[in-house]
Amino acid sequence: MEVTNRYKTTKTHIDGAPKESHFELKTEALALSVEPGSNFVIVKNLYVSIDPYQINRMKSQSSSQKSIGFAFGIAPSEVIDTYGVAKVVASGNPKFEKDDLVVGLITWGEYSVLKEGIILNKLDPMGFPLTYHVGILGFSGLAAYGGFFEVCKPKKGEKVFVSAASGSVGKMVGQYAKQLGCYVVGCAGTKQKNCLKRSLDLMMHSTTEKKQICSQHCKDGIDIYFDNVGGEMLEAAVDNVNTFGRIAVCGVIAEYTDAGKRAAPDMLNVVYKRIRIQGYLATDYLNMYADFISTTSDHLRTGNMQALEDITSGVENIPSAFIGLFRDDNIGKKIVKLVDE
Amino acid sequence: MEVTNRYKTTKTHIDGAPKESHFELKTEALALSVEPGSNFVIVKNLYVSIDPYQINRMKSQSSSQKSIGFAFGIAPSEVIDTYGVAKVVASGNPKFEKDDLVVGLITWGEYSVLKEGIILNKLDPMGFPLTYHVGILGFSGLAAYGGFFEVCKPKKGEKVFVSAASGSVGKMVGQYAKQLGCYVVGCAGTKQKNCLKRSLDLMMHSTTEKKQICSQHCKDGIDIYFDNVGGEMLEAAVDNVNTFGRIAVCGVIAEYTDAGKRAAPDMLNVVYKRIRIQGYLATDYLNMYADFISTTSDHLRTGNMQALEDITSGVENIPSAFIGLFRDDNIGKKIVKLVDE
């Protein structure tokens, strides 16, 4: 059987904010069969994760030969890999059979042809919606879990500040922190803020004068700053972090699309308050995956945690979903649904 | 017996670079006696440590009520406390007797009147010059030892970059790193560089274009950056730090006298390379003091480590010694000798 696979690629490298004109829809004829023993797997993509870090892979300084964290650069016209959930349609790999649900690195398209060696695992939905396995039980969740518990080393009663608190990672960090018994202040855009204000101790609007935000809203200072944005928010946080405070740098979205924009945190504060600023990637915490799934699925079942998802449909809408991340359009984990299940 | 004690104070708060006119010499009549049981100790100061961080205590935002790390602000006209070595001339404290050598927090003066509760200990010189106990075996040494071994967690063979490599702390970090079997690149001013070039693997001049320094001289990247300066050097280091690199922020001398000057390290590098930036103070490692003294005195006795000291004489010269720290005048640990031993 042969299908027409539609997928999205970049037309050029992207060095500033992404625009629709940077992307194009391609089509290819794809035979849904693989040679036995080839180890190739063809999957039909169901849901793909839309993540800000992908912009860094699209920059002209990136190349498909150069590793950027756990991934490589994305060259124009290349298939774009992304985390997601799919269904196997043909398998030359004995680990997978037709109709298996899988989760791992698929593509910005309707079908993915996957070589051996990439991250791909059979998926047991455990009674949860498949989208949960893209976000809250996927890499976004692992980024939140590893970053909060391992990088931040939180203790009950500590004061936690989370930027982009409605985002895929920030939303979970806020919930993990509340579950642990921390006082949690979140920061998000106006519409995001309104959706979240009941779940944290305090929500504030991220475009308020940033230098004042923390001092007004975190009167007892910040023990932990979970940073998804960088820029002025990081500077403001450093000014308000308490002695022996920890800053986990998960993302720097304020600086991804503007290389000239940089946070200049006060290093005197870093010294005198013995602040630890630590960058990390979700993949650093793969060893915690079983713990993460067990803890998080328990919280979801008991209703102690909720997923917040923002789902768009159709391969043609992947670029606009992606572009929206940099415009504060999404409320929660951004996912694109490719086909009806 | 009564003496005239001469001591230096600040006339005003100091917010930029310190100048002679910011300081004044004061004199006071001082009776060299204390009431028994008063717990006061009067010491004759022998050597005082001259340290850049003192400028932060002199700023107008500082006050004697506000803690700055392990110390408090220095108000104009107040006696200025500093680390140093002294001899007891009168003691109301049963822990000390007349003629005891002591080390701890004394003052920018010829005599110090010390209350109970400040850091002060009897000193066994262990056959070393007394100046060693002000610097290499004092708090500068502990800052180097704790910062390098505990904050940086170095391993044999790692590539270490040290700024202000001829300074009191930097000089020791370079030597500890060499002793451990690291490849060590140091950075210092021209005259300092020439004095040090045999002791490290590579010395470079700190006013070379900073962005190029690291990439030219640390071709295999940096595993550990021991930062004494901040500013552009920190930015350059972050650009060249390897994956899982560690940056110990011991001092930020480039930013002490210019509040507008700030490092803006590339936080994308911090994330993707999982860099840890950690501020600390020497006092955080008081629990390692015995290890530090034992290790360092062994290295000194075997000739594996050398002290580098820059000694000026006379209480009247304390301000110029201090001012010189911000002009790159000193080569090694800056000490002022108050009286002949």
Side-chain angles (χ1 to χ4, degrees), chain A residues 53 56 59 68-69 234 249 252 262-264 266-268 270-272 274-281 284, chain B residues 53 56 59 68-69 234 249 252 262-264 266-268 270-272 274-281 284:
Chain A
Y53 78 86
N56 299 319
K59 292 178 180 173
I68 301 163
L234 174 59
V249 190
V252 195
R262 290 269 192 91
D266 185 344
M267 298 306 289
L268 270 77
V270 171
V271 173
Y272 283 111
R274 290 83 131 190
I275 298 172
R276 172 162 58 85
I277 300 174
Q278 171 81 61
Y280 77 97
L281 298 173
D284 299 338
Chain B
Y53 79 85
N56 300 320
K59 292 178 179 173
I68 302 163
L234 174 59
V249 190
V252 196
R262 289 269 192 94
D266 185 345
M267 298 307 289
L268 270 75
V270 171
V271 173
Y272 283 111
R274 290 83 133 189
I275 297 172
R276 172 163 58 86
I277 300 174
Q278 171 79 61
Y280 77 99
L281 297 174
D284 298 338

Side-chain angles (χ1 to χ4, degrees), chain B residues 82-332:
Chain B
T82 185
Y83 199 73
V85 168
K87 185 177 266 184
V88 174
V89 291
S91 174
N93 183 327
K95 280 168 61 187
F96 303 103
E97 287 181 19
K98 188 168 183 304
D99 293 333
D100 277 351
L101 282 172
V102 290
V103 64
L105 285 181
I106 57 173
T107 62
W108 276 20
E110 293 174 323
Y111 291 87
S112 312
V113 180
L114 305 172
K115 291 181 226 171
E116 202 185 8
I118 67 144
I119 295 173
L120 192 71
N121 291 294
K122 281 177 80 162
L123 174 65
D124 170 6
M126 301 183 297
F128 294 113
L130 292 182
T131 52
Y132 281 29
H133 298 280
V134 178
I136 196 165
L137 293 170
F139 260 36
S140 307
L142 184 61
Y145 191 84
F148 183 61
F149 290 106
E150 287 300 298
V151 179
C152 300
K153 302 278 185 197
K155 290 187 284 288
K156 186 177 173 178
E158 285 196 312
K159 289 161 285 289
V160 176
F161 177 53
V162 189
S163 56
S166 63
S168 57
V169 178
K171 167 71 176 160
M172 293 189 67
V173 168
Q175 294 184 92
Y176 286 133
K178 283 303 298 168
Q179 286 305 313
L180 185 67
C182 296
Y183 177 83
V184 187
V185 178
C187 177
T190 314
K191 63 184 177 185
Q192 288 86 352
K193 174 188 163 189
N194 293 337
C195 296
L196 284 173
K197 58 186 171 190
R198 278 192 218 138
S199 62
L200 304 183
D201 294 295
L202 194 66
M203 278 300 299
M204 56 200 193
H205 184 208
S206 56
T207 59
T208 310
E209 175 57 50
K210 296 197 176 52
K211 298 284 175 191
Q212 293 173 11
I213 278 184
C214 303
S215 49
Q216 279 176 3
H217 294 281
C218 308
K219 289 202 167 61
D220 298 320
I222 298 165
D223 299 308
I224 288 169
Y225 172 44
F226 192 96
D227 190 12
N228 290 301
V229 303
E232 291 174 2
M233 195 61 88
L234 174 59
E235 294 176 11
V238 165
D239 289 343
N240 290 280
V241 162
N242 294 327
T243 302
F244 296 109
R246 291 131 274 158
I247 297 178
V249 190
C250 176
V252 196
I253 195 168
E255 300 176 30
Y256 287 171
T257 55
D258 180 359
K261 191 173 177 181
R262 289 269 192 94
D266 185 345
M267 298 307 289
L268 270 75
N269 273 329
V270 171
V271 173
Y272 283 111
K273 299 196 288 187
R274 290 83 133 189
I275 297 172
R276 172 163 58 86
I277 300 174
Q278 171 79 61
Y280 77 99
L281 297 174
T283 43
D284 298 338
Y285 299 102
L286 282 172
N287 63 322
M288 302 179 74
Y289 193 78
D291 281 347
F292 151 64
I293 291 292
S294 154
T295 303
T296 311
S297 56
D298 284 352
H299 283 320
L300 288 168
R301 285 199 187 92
T302 55
N304 287 335
M305 284 181 76
Q306 286 83 36
L308 183 67
E309 300 177 330
D310 187 331
I311 303 174
T312 302
S313 287
V315 66
E316 62 280 7
N317 293 316
I318 289 177
S320 62
F322 179 64
I323 291 162
L325 296 173
F326 302 94
R327 295 178 177 167
D328 242 4
D329 283 349
N330 58 306
I331 303 181

Side-chain angles (χ1 to χ4, degrees), chain A residues 128 175 179 295-307:
Chain A
F128 294 113
Q175 293 184 92
Q179 285 306 313
T295 303
T296 311
S297 56
D298 283 353
H299 283 319
L300 288 168
R301 284 198 188 93
T302 55
N304 287 334
M305 284 181 76
Q306 286 84 34

Side-chain angles (χ1 to χ4, degrees), chain A residues 184-251:
Chain A
V184 187
V185 177
C187 177
T190 315
K191 63 184 178 186
Q192 288 86 352
K193 176 187 162 188
N194 293 336
C195 296
L196 284 171
K197 58 187 172 190
R198 277 192 218 139
S199 62
L200 304 182
D201 294 294
L202 194 66
M203 278 300 299
M204 56 200 192
H205 183 208
S206 55
T207 58
T208 309
E209 175 59 50
K210 294 192 177 57
K211 299 284 176 190
Q212 294 174 9
I213 276 184
C214 303
S215 50
Q216 279 176 4
H217 294 281
C218 309
K219 288 202 168 62
D220 298 321
I222 298 165
D223 299 307
I224 289 170
Y225 172 45
F226 193 95
D227 190 12
N228 290 301
V229 303
E232 290 174 3
M233 196 60 90
L234 174 59
E235 294 176 13
V238 164
D239 290 343
N240 291 281
V241 162
N242 294 329
T243 302
F244 296 108
R246 292 130 272 159
I247 296 178
V249 190
C250 175

